[in-house]
Amino acid sequence: QVQFVESGGGLVQPGGSLRLACVASGLKVSNWRMAWYRLVPGKQRELVVSIPNDGRATYADSMKGRFTISRDSAKNMVYLQMNSLKPEDTAVYFCNARAYENDWGQGTQVTVSS
């Protein structure tokens, strides 16, 4: 059974930083292009960034230079370092495998507000 559990969200002021973590089970993150997504109420789930099992990460334009994805294969975890956060980054963030996109976790809420 595949499961993703996200954590690390919270309330942060504009310009602040957060580091999100995702632990996967039932699927090896080292074998998949892993990704972070976000969801804002009333909108479709948006792809934030993905990283192939070997190669460079691909970021949505609005996240370039601010967000960094990384992977710890030994722990079967994926991380998202988010810097220079903006109010428009407020969303629920999820991780998943890009070609899987199923068995979504609960996500972790990120709220950027002063």
Side-chain angles (χ1 to χ4, degrees), residues 56-67:
R56 279 186 156 184
T58 302
Y59 296 88
D61 287 344
S62 62
M63 289 75 168
K64 287 179 181 177
R66 300 191 299 123
F67 291 8

Side-chain angles (χ1 to χ4, degrees), residues 49-86:
V49 57
S50 66
I51 184 168
N53 51 356
D54 58 349
R56 279 186 156 184
T58 302
Y59 296 88
D61 287 344
S62 62
M63 289 75 168
K64 287 179 181 177
R66 300 191 299 123
F67 291 8
T68 304
I69 188 172
S70 60
R71 171 174 29 213
D72 186 333
S73 298
K75 295 181 179 179
N76 215 37
M77 293 184 70
V78 183
Y79 302 94
L80 183 65
Q81 177 67 44
M82 305 188 296
N83 299 327
S84 302
L85 283 162
K86 304 175 181 180

Side-chain angles (χ1 to χ4, degrees), residues 10-37:
L11 173 63
V12 63
Q13 292 187 341
S17 298
L18 283 173
R19 187 186 190 221
L20 307 184
C22 169
V23 57
S25 57
L27 173 154
K28 287 188 176 181
V29 302
S30 58
N31 291 344
W32 294 77
R33 175 182 283 267
M34 296 302 298
W36 282 94
Y37 305 76

